[in-house]
Amino acid sequence: RVRGRVDEELLAELEESLLEADVGLAAVEAVLEALRQQASAEGLRSPDQVLSALRALLAEELRRHQQSLATPPEAPGVILLLGVNGSGKTTTAAKLAAQLGGAGQVILGACDTFRAAAGEQLQVWGDRIGVPVIRQEAGSDPAAVAFDTVQAARARGARWAVLDTAGRLQTRSNLMSELAKIHRVVERALGRPADERLLVLDASVGQNGLSQARLFGESVPLTGLAVTKLDGTARGGIVLAITRELALPVKLIGVGEGVDDLQPFDAGTFVDALFGEGSRSGADA
Amino acid sequence: MAFERLSERLQAVFRQLSGRGKLGERDVDEALREVRRALLEADVHFRVVKEVLERIRARAVGEEVLSSLTPAQQVIRIVRDELTELMGGANQGIAFAPQPPTVILLCGLQGSGKTTTAAKLAFRLKQQGRRPHLVAGDLYRPAAVEQLQVLARQVGVPCHTGGPQAAGDAVEAAAQGVAAATEQGADAVLVDTAGRLQVDAEMMEELRRTRDRVKPHEVLLVLDAMTGQEALNVARAFQEEMELTGLVLTKTDGDARGGAALSARAVTGRPIKFVGTGERVEQLEPFHPDRMASRILGM
Ligand SMILES: Nc1nc2c(ncn2[C@@H]2O[C@H](COP(=O)(O)OP(=O)(O)OP(=O)(O)O)[C@@H](O)[C@H]2O)c(=O)[nH]1
Ligand SMILES: Nc1nc2c(ncn2[C@@H]2O[C@H](COP(=O)(O)OP(=O)(O)OP(=O)(O)O)[C@@H](O)[C@H]2O)c(=O)[nH]1
Ligand SMILES: [K+]
Ligand SMILES: [Mg+2]
Ligand SMILES: [Mg+2]
C-alpha cells in the first residue's frame, strides 16, 4: 500500500457492497470519491477506519434530511400515500391508521377505486383495527372519495385521515394528473395541503426508484418516503440516491405484513444494513 | 418501455467504437467500462455484469481481434453475442401437459403481480379457445380471494376458492381448487399463491408443499421489472425451492430498464415467457428474447 492513499482494492469491495444494495453507480462513485478524499486527508488506513468513515458519511447524508411525521396545525391531519403498483400503500395506510391511535382517532379513505377489490382490502384492514373506511363504488372518482374522507374526519372529530390511492406507474401522465387532482381537492377541503404526501417505495426497487421519486414529486410535492418490505434482504439503497438528489426524508419503514410492522426510520440502522449487517426488524430500529 | 434506455446506452458505445480504425486493449477497456455502466444502470446484478464482461474481454483481446482488419466490428460482434446469450433464445410459451389439465403455479415476492398475471394468463388461454380455471391459493393477504374473484368475473372464467375442509390451509385450498377445476373439465388451471419473501423459510416450505400437492406442469416466478439487485437472490431461492419452469416480468409498461430480468435468467437458466404491459387483463404479451436482444443491441 502507498502511504497516505486508500487501498483501491478495499474501495472496489465497498463499491460492490453499495452497488449490491441498489445505491446506484452515480451515487456510489460520488460517495466513494468523498471517502477517498477524507481518508487521505485524515490518514485513514485500516479497513475498519475506512469502513466506519464511510458509514458515518452515509448516515450523515440521511440524517441531514431526517424528519419525523408532521404535526398538523389543526385536526384532522391528512396523510396521502402514493406510489407505483404493489409497493405497499394499502398495507402502510392500515399500519399507520393503527399507529396513529386507531379507533376514534383515524379515518381511512379508499381512494383506490380502480384495482380489483382494492376497497375490500382496505375495508378488511379497517375492520381489523376498528377504523372506519370511507368508500365509494368501484370506478368512482378517487378525488371525491378523498374529499368525503376529509369531511368525514372533520365531522366525526377524528385527529387523522389517511388516504390510500391506486398504484400507478410514474410515466402514465393521465394517472399522474388524477393524483394531482386528489391533492388539489384535499387542499381545498382542508384549507392547506395534506400534511404528509408520502411516496411508498418497495425496498427491492432498483434504479427506477429515483424516477419514481422525481415524477411523483412533480405531480404532488412529496414530504417524504415510506420504505416497505425491509424485513427481507433487500436494502433499499436507492433511498440514498433519492435523498441526495431530492432532499427527501425517509419517515417510515415497513418491516412485515402485520399491522404492527411499521417503524420510524433510523439512519444508523439503515446504513448498517446496507452492508448486510444487522436487521431492521424487531426492537433494534 | 423496459430496456429502452439500455438500448440507447449500448448503441452509443457501439457508435463510439465504430469510429475507430485501430484498437488497443485500452480502447476495449474503455468501451467495456461504458457497457458495464449501462448494464448496472439497467439494474443487472453486478456479479452477472462482472462475469459477462470477463467473457467479453477474454474473447476481445484473445481472438486476434485487435490485429484484425475490422477490430471495432469484431468487438461489437462479441458484445452482441454475449448479451444475446444473456437474454435467451426464441420465445417459449406455456408447455401444455399431454394429459389435460395443465396446472400452472404462480409464485413470487409480495406485490410482484401474481394475482393479476394469473387472470391475464386465463384471459389469454381463453382467447385461444381453451377452458382455463383460476384457483385462489392466497389466504393471507386481505381480500386476496375477492381480488381474484373480481378478475375471474372480468375474464369470464370460474374461480375456485377451496371448500370448508381447507379451513385456512393454503395448501389444502390450492389442492381442492385444482381438483374441483379438473372435475369441471378445465384444461388449464392457474393457481395463485400468496406473496412471500424468499428468506421466509416457513412460507417457502408451504409453497413447496403446494407444489407437491398440485403437481404443476409450469411453475412461473412473477418478477417486477422495477426490481433491483435483489432479483438475483429472489430468483435463485425460488429456483432452488421450486424448480421454476419460467419467468414472467411484470410492469414493463413504465420506464424501468428491466435488467432484473437478465439477472433472474442468468441465475436460473429459465426463460422469460411473458411480460406484463399494464394493469388490465388483456395486457400480457409473449416474450421473444431474441427479438428483444436485437432491439436492444440495434441489430
Ligand atoms: N414482507 C412485507 N410485505 C409487505 C410490506 N408492506 C406490504 N407488504 C405486502 O406487499 C403486498 C402489496 O401490498 P399492498 O399494500 O397491497 O400494496 P399497494 O401499494 O397498495 O398495491 P396496489 O394498490 O395494487 O398498487 C401485500 O402482499 C402486502 O402484504 C412489508 O413491509 N413487508
Ligand atoms: N402497470 C402495471 N401494473 C401491474 C402489472 N401487473 C400487475 N400490476 C399491478 O401491480 C399491483 C400488484 O399486483 P397483484 O397482482 O395484486 O400482485 P401480487 O403479486 O398478487 O401481490 P400479493 O398477492 O400481495 O403478493 C396491482 O396494482 C396490479 O394492478 C403490469 O404489467 N403493469
Ligand atoms: K415490487
Ligand atoms: Mg393498494
Ligand atoms: Mg396476490
Side-chain angles (χ1 to χ4, degrees):
Chain A
R1 277 171 211 179
V2 185
R3 235 182 101 77
R5 286 194 48 203
V6 200
D7 185 347
E8 287 301 321
E9 210 171 295
L10 174 62
L11 285 178
E13 264 172 45
L14 294 175
E15 179 183 73
E16 290 189 343
S17 289
L18 292 174
L19 284 176
E20 191 165 27
D22 289 313
V23 176
L25 194 55
V28 170
E29 285 174 344
V31 163
L32 290 183
E33 186 47 40
L35 178 68
R36 195 178 271 118
Q37 284 176 14
Q38 186 187 343
S40 64
E42 295 174 12
L44 306 180
R45 213 71 44 77
S46 80
D48 279 351
Q49 282 177 319
V50 174
L51 183 60
S52 57
L54 174 59
R55 285 178 188 215
L57 214 125
L58 296 174
E60 168 52 30
E61 293 223 355
L62 291 167
R63 280 199 195 99
R64 193 176 310 149
H65 310 291
Q66 206 162 328
Q67 254 178 41
S68 46
L69 222 51
T71 316
E74 61 176 2
V78 176
I79 298 176
L80 182 61
L81 297 174
L82 29 103
V84 296
N85 306 83
S87 65
K89 296 171 292 300
T90 306
T91 311
T92 303
K95 292 173 180 177
L96 248 179
Q99 200 167 86
L100 292 170
Q105 306 282 336
V106 189
I107 287 189
L108 280 163
C111 305
D112 181 356
T113 57
F114 177 75
R115 211 212 58 220
E120 285 80 355
Q121 184 187 359
L122 194 65
Q123 186 70 60
V124 171
W125 276 115
D127 294 346
R128 219 180 256 182
I129 60 180
V131 166
V133 178
I134 304 299
R135 286 171 66 183
Q136 287 182 13
E137 273 167 53
S140 55
D141 179 8
V145 182
F147 186 83
D148 284 359
T149 310
V150 175
Q151 299 295 48
R154 191 174 279 138
R156 301 182 200 182
R159 285 178 45 221
W160 291 96
V162 179
L163 305 177
D164 180 29
T165 61
R168 66 200 78 216
L169 299 186
Q170 68 275 19
T171 47
R172 292 285 303 277
S173 57
N174 56 334
L175 297 181
M176 299 309 280
S177 310
E178 178 192 273
L179 208 52
K181 181 179 164 196
I182 296 175
H183 178 56
R184 277 198 309 277
V185 166
V186 168
E187 179 163 9
R188 210 173 306 139
L190 200 61
R192 63 174 191 274
D195 302 283
E196 290 285 0
R197 287 95 58 189
L198 301 178
L199 177 70
V200 180
L201 201 70
D202 185 325
S204 70
V205 75
Q207 300 311 295
N208 194 252
L210 194 51
S211 163
Q212 291 172 29
R214 283 182 191 140
L215 295 180
F216 273 97
E218 281 177 16
S219 294
V220 175
L222 300 173
T223 57
L225 307 173
V227 182
T228 63
K229 311 185 196 177
L230 275 168
D231 44 324
T233 49
R235 303 187 190 145
I238 194 64
V239 160
L240 269 165
I242 295 173
T243 41
R244 285 175 69 88
E245 182 179 315
L246 301 167
L248 283 173
V250 183
K251 297 212 165 174
L252 299 163
I253 63 168
V255 292
E257 298 184 80
V259 73
D260 297 324
D261 296 325
L262 186 73
Q263 300 176 354
F265 177 71
D266 179 79
T269 319
F270 184 85
V271 168
D272 287 348
L274 275 186
F275 297 94
E277 292 158 42
S279 125
R280 267 180 241 78
S281 58
D284 59 351
Chain B
M1 180 64 192
F3 300 121
E4 216 158 70
R5 270 283 293 174
L6 178 58
S7 168
E8 286 167 21
R9 292 293 306 264
L10 289 173
Q11 291 184 43
V13 177
F14 295 161
R15 270 196 305 278
Q16 270 263 317
L17 265 178
S18 306
R20 303 272 166 83
K22 275 179 154 179
L23 280 191
E25 275 196 46
R26 263 250 189 92
D27 302 309
V28 173
D29 285 336
E30 194 185 311
L32 292 190
R33 249 198 313 279
E34 285 305 305
V35 172
R36 171 177 187 260
R37 184 168 279 274
L39 293 174
L40 286 174
E41 284 175 358
D43 288 319
V44 183
H45 194 276
F46 84 88
R47 283 187 212 287
V48 175
V49 174
K50 215 171 169 173
E51 279 169 22
V52 74
L53 286 184
E54 273 163 17
R55 280 201 300 274
I56 294 173
R57 192 172 192 286
R59 286 181 58 187
V61 300
E63 279 175 20
E64 295 176 7
V65 165
L66 299 181
S67 56
S68 77
L69 285 175
T70 52
Q73 293 315 313
Q74 306 279 14
V75 172
I76 292 171
R77 179 182 53 80
I78 293 169
V79 174
R80 281 180 172 159
D81 279 0
E82 290 291 339
L83 293 182
T84 304
E85 173 66 31
L86 200 60
M87 303 230 33
N91 167 254
Q92 293 184 42
I94 298 294
F96 290 99
Q99 191 83 320
T102 301
V103 177
I104 303 168
L105 186 79
L106 296 105
C107 57
L109 294 183
Q110 287 93 343
S112 63
K114 297 170 293 300
T115 307
T116 311
T117 302
K120 287 174 172 182
L121 280 169
F123 177 85
R124 198 179 160 76
L125 294 174
K126 192 181 171 210
Q127 294 282 88
Q128 295 169 352
R130 295 183 189 266
R131 295 183 308 281
H133 286 208
L134 287 162
V135 169
D138 177 0
L139 306 183
Y140 303 100
R141 166 171 163 170
V145 174
E146 288 80 351
Q147 184 187 1
L148 194 67
Q149 285 172 323
V150 170
L151 291 168
R153 272 199 299 280
Q154 280 176 23
V155 176
V157 297
C159 179
H160 304 276
T161 59
Q165 301 120 282
D169 180 337
V171 180
E172 200 52 46
Q176 282 179 23
V178 173
T182 308
E183 200 173 303
Q184 292 171 25
D187 60 7
V189 186
L190 297 138
V191 184
D192 183 28
T193 62
R196 65 203 75 215
L197 297 168
Q198 80 279 9
V199 288
D200 186 335
E202 209 173 300
M203 288 296 284
M204 291 305 281
E205 159 73 18
E206 180 199 89
L207 198 56
R208 210 167 45 235
R209 285 193 290 119
T210 306
R211 181 200 61 197
D212 293 346
R213 283 292 296 282
V214 307
K215 304 203 167 27
H217 305 91
E218 286 271 7
V219 181
L220 301 177
L221 174 69
V222 180
L223 187 71
D224 186 326
M226 295 175 279
T227 313
Q229 302 278 303
E230 186 69 355
L232 185 108
N233 299 328
V234 172
R236 179 190 284 139
F238 275 91
Q239 167 73 356
E240 277 170 9
E241 293 287 338
M242 296 296 287
E243 295 160 43
L244 303 171
T245 59
L247 312 169
V248 179
L249 191 68
T250 62
K251 312 181 200 174
T252 63
D253 40 322
D255 59 353
R257 299 188 195 165
L262 301 191
S263 307
R265 199 200 99 84
V267 76
T268 62
R270 295 296 183 262
I272 303 158
K273 294 195 167 186
F274 297 95
V275 294
T277 58
E279 294 190 67
R280 295 196 313 274
V281 292
E282 66 274 19
Q283 292 178 312
L284 183 79
E285 292 173 12
F287 185 68
H288 297 272
D290 44 2
R291 289 187 207 164
M292 186 56 76
S294 311
R295 247 184 65 191
I296 292 182
L297 301 168
M299 300 186 289

